[in-house]
């Protein structure tokens, strides 16, 4: 029987992580299960850096962005020595099971813990990039999209006033989801994402017929292979008289209080993870698919997440030439 769960947040922080922590501890409390926080992702597991968690305290931080547990990108966890220290921490503290909140990298680590060390693990998708299979949405994505959309709206105000072209870079290490959602919802003229190869050709065609009589907004995902510098160069090559500005939104997209959608997702998935552990499930990520909570094996989750066909179609209707 599970008596003690360890929980950590790993990789890039994402709004909704604190809500998920609260949901896990609150659910565990109903089954008299103790929950211990592991600080700074896998680094805390290696260094035995633990804090006890209680639902009343977490209730006052569940609405905040970031992660109160802190997070890290921990290279040492990829080494034999680092992993052995992690196992020692788990054994020493009599932790029966782990909940890992993070992205695909974090779940590769969790896969190692479950498959080679037989430690019971459930994952919760926490990344603004929305780049995991096994869930339609990841914690933080909705908040990041709303932030990016509001920033693009503001840029449009000044772009319209000057009839300027703006190239705006949004986050997404290998994923165009933030670009697609924030670009479509802010009426962008062009959206460039890593999953689609022809969009730069459409942009070049569209910019040929642009005559400085209104704003022109280009949203580029950070992971797009063309990159914003080359996009700007191509625009200038087509028309040197264009009044062009480049804005990189950067890490402000990762902060802020989670939206109600992200909080609801965190509450549902946090609670599901505890129930899954009680039912002796392991090696799986909790997610939401077609509005239903579900569990998917880590190996399926970390496969490259394709962008939905419907989304690509919308981009070509609204931002195609
Ligand atoms: P994310 O989880 O957001 O994708 P990272 O890719 O940075 O973020 O991964 C987070 C952490 O997960 C890494 O710093 C490392 O500690 C661990 N990790 C990533 N890949 C592996 C791997 N192949 N094996 C073991 N641990 C890994
Ligand atoms: O994975 C989330 C993410 O915000 C990506 O969109 C971005 O490329 C990366 O993290 C940035 O990482 P860091 O905070 O380490 O610079």
């Amino acid at each position: 029987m599970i008596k003690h769960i360890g929980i950590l947040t790993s990789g890039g922080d994402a709004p909704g992580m604190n809500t998920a922590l609260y949901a896990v501890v609150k659910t565990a409390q109903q089954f008299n299960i103790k929950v211990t926080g592991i600080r700074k992702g896998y680094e805390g597991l290696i260094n035995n850096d633990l804090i006890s968690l209680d639902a009343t305290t977490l209730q006052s931080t569940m609405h905040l962005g970031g992660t109160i547990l802190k997070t890290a990108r921990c290279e040492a966890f990829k080494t034999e020595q680092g992993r052995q220290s992690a196992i020692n921490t788990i054994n020493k503290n009599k932790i029966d099971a782990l909940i890992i909140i993070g992205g695909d990298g974090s779940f590769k680590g969790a896969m190692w813990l479950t498959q080679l060390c037989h430690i019971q693990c459930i994952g919760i998708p926490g990344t603004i990039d929305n780049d995991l299979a096994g869930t339609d949405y990841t914690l933080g994505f909705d908040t990041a999209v709303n932030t990016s959309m509001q920033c693009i709206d503001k840029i449009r105000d000044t772009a319209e006033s000057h009839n300027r072209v703006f190239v705006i870079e949004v986050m997404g290490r290998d994923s165009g989801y933030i670009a697609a959602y924030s670009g479509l919802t802010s009426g962008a003229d062009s959206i460039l994402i890593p999953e689609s190869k022809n969009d730069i050709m459409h942009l070049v065609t569209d910019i040929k017929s642009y005559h400085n009589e209104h704003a022109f907004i280009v949203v580029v995902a950070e992971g797009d292979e063309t990159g914003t510098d080359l996009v700007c160069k191509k625009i200038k090559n087509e028309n040197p008289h264009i009044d062009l500005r480049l804005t990189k939104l950067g890490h402000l997209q990762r902060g802020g209080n989670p939206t109600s959608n992200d909080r609801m997702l965190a509450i549902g998935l946090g609670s599901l993870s505890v129930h899954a552990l009680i039912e002796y499930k392991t090696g799986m990520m909790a997610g939401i698919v077609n509005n239903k909570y579900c569990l998917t094996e880590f190996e399926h989750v970390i496969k490259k997440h394709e962008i939905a066909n419907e989304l690509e179609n919308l981009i070509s209707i609204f931002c195609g030439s």
Side-chain angles (χ1 to χ4, degrees):
M1 224 173 73
I2 296 214
K3 291 197 189 119
H4 187 190
I5 293 174
I7 185 163
L8 60 85
T9 50
S10 167
D13 59 289
M17 283 179 164
N18 287 326
T19 322
L21 285 178
Y22 166 69
V24 164
V25 175
K26 184 87 180 163
T27 309
Q29 188 179 282
Q30 295 189 338
F31 297 95
N32 288 320
I33 297 171
K34 176 176 149 188
V35 183
T36 295
I38 299 154
R39 285 159 45 90
K40 302 185 197 155
Y42 291 116
E43 204 174 295
L45 208 51
I46 290 173
N47 298 330
N48 194 30
D49 187 359
L50 312 181
I51 51 165
S52 63
L53 298 175
D54 77 90
T56 313
T57 314
L58 292 176
Q59 202 169 358
S60 62
T61 53
M62 56 91 80
H63 65 293
L64 298 176
T67 162
I68 58 145
L69 279 185
K70 302 199 182 279
T71 184
R73 305 210 195 260
C74 171
E75 282 305 305
F77 191 65
K78 295 179 183 169
T79 67
E80 200 46 53
Q81 200 187 359
R83 287 165 166 183
Q84 193 47 58
S85 307
I87 300 297
N88 292 346
T89 299
I90 293 168
N91 292 338
K92 192 159 78 185
N93 294 284
K94 296 188 167 51
I95 292 173
D96 301 312
L98 288 175
I99 292 179
I100 310 286
I101 310 179
D104 59 340
S106 305
F107 296 148
K108 282 178 195 155
M111 237 164 87
W112 178 83
L113 285 168
T114 51
Q115 291 177 353
L116 293 167
C117 303
H118 308 290
I119 289 160
Q120 204 189 341
C121 276
I122 291 290
I124 297 178
T127 165
I128 62 165
D129 289 355
N130 206 38
D131 58 350
L132 292 166
T135 190
D136 291 339
Y137 299 107
T138 56
L139 298 187
F141 171 64
D142 188 63
T143 309
V145 165
N146 277 288
T147 302
S148 314
M149 181 192 72
Q150 284 161 17
C151 290
I152 300 168
D153 288 349
K154 288 178 204 281
I155 289 173
R156 177 179 290 285
D157 289 346
T158 174
E160 291 290 2
S161 306
H162 289 266
N163 289 345
R164 277 179 174 157
V165 175
F166 265 85
V167 172
I168 303 165
E169 184 188 276
V170 299
M171 271 190 163
R173 190 168 43 183
D174 307 301
S175 161
Y177 264 95
I178 297 177
Y181 271 59
S182 62
L184 282 168
T185 54
S186 61
D189 298 276
S190 176
I191 298 173
L192 308 189
I193 56 173
E195 295 86 346
S196 170
K197 302 285 166 230
N198 298 326
D199 36 17
I200 185 70
M201 278 152 46
H202 292 305
L203 168 60
V204 168
T205 311
D206 289 348
I207 216 74
K208 273 186 188 143
S209 53
Y210 170 75
H211 298 295
N212 295 8
E213 62 287 270
H214 52 78
F216 190 100
I217 307 282
V218 184
V219 176
V220 184
E222 182 192 12
D224 181 72
E225 64 175 21
T226 312
T228 45
D229 289 342
L230 191 53
V231 170
C232 290
K233 224 180 202 171
K234 282 180 186 275
I235 292 172
K236 274 285 185 193
N237 280 349
E238 280 315 315
N239 183 349
H241 302 297
I242 277 175
D243 195 5
L244 176 69
R245 294 289 185 280
L246 168 64
T247 303
K248 297 188 182 194
L249 296 184
H251 286 78
L252 66 84
Q253 296 163 94
R254 278 234 301 258
N257 292 358
T259 57
S260 57
N261 282 340
D262 272 332
R263 293 185 204 191
M264 267 314 295
L265 185 62
I267 287 168
L269 300 187
S271 192
L272 172 62
S273 324
V274 175
H275 284 99
L277 289 176
I278 290 168
E279 289 163 18
Y280 299 108
K281 303 230 166 76
T282 185
M284 295 187 214
M285 184 195 79
I288 190 161
V289 175
N290 295 333
N291 261 330
K292 293 230 173 337
Y293 297 125
C294 57
L295 294 161
T296 306
E297 282 82 13
F298 286 140
E299 46 264 61
H300 298 305
V301 159
I302 61 181
K303 277 186 196 150
K304 188 153 174 45
H305 188 55
E306 302 298 334
I307 205 134
N309 283 341
E310 293 82 354
L311 199 50
E312 274 203 281
N313 290 341
L314 287 174
I315 293 174
S316 62
I317 291 168
F318 285 88
C319 309
S321 49

